[in-house]
Amino acid sequence: MVETCTIQLLVEDPSVLAALRFSLLIEGFQIGDSASEAFVIDERYQGDGVKVLEEMRAQGNKALTIVITTHPSRQLRNRIARCDAVVVEKPLMGDEISRTLEAIRNPLKVA
């Protein structure tokens, strides 16, 4: 189980937002509107969720970020990678978001 953190969900689709909120709350995460330690951004948020992420990074926000998308192109993957964020493809399966957060918060250390 991942150590809990506050996550801000930048998702406009009501069904996706409700499912994410429910899943993350069950996993023990807190959902916040500001001062978040991590973000989940839908690639379609405000027409271009990655642009929102790029603006956040330009303002110095370095919070852990997962971008959710369907069938991302190589160009989209590269934009997300340049923002030091992680892609998770929809449809979301089970605890994929919490497992991804755990992986990026606690990467394996090679001896």
Side-chain angles (χ1 to χ4, degrees):
M1 177 74 172
V2 69
E3 183 180 318
T4 189
C5 69
T6 302
I7 302 171
Q8 186 170 355
L9 303 175
L10 302 180
V11 178
E12 293 176 324
D13 182 309
S15 59
V16 173
L17 180 60
L20 275 172
R21 182 180 299 276
F22 178 78
S23 174
L24 291 168
L25 287 172
I26 294 257
E27 292 285 329
F29 292 96
Q30 297 176 9
I31 306 301
D33 291 331
S34 62
S36 299
E37 300 166 73
F39 289 87
V40 175
I41 304 175
D42 191 323
E43 181 259 328
R44 295 182 179 170
Y45 180 73
Q46 296 184 350
D48 186 353
V50 180
K51 182 177 180 182
V52 172
L53 174 59
E54 289 166 341
E55 290 169 356
M56 289 169 47
R57 294 300 195 234
Q59 294 172 2
N61 187 320
K62 298 189 183 308
L64 300 173
T65 303
I66 294 173
V67 177
I68 57 174
T69 185
T70 304
H71 304 297
S73 66
R74 174 174 277 147
Q75 179 184 13
L76 181 62
R77 285 182 179 278
N78 288 340
R79 282 180 68 201
I80 294 167
R82 282 192 300 270
C83 291
D84 196 27
V86 176
V87 173
V88 172
E89 291 191 51
K90 296 187 279 185
L92 302 172
M93 306 302 254
D95 63 349
E96 193 167 7
I97 297 293
S98 62
R99 285 184 293 116
T100 301
L101 280 169
E102 181 176 7
I104 60 179
R105 288 181 79 201
N106 302 305
L108 294 176
K109 296 181 180 177
V110 179

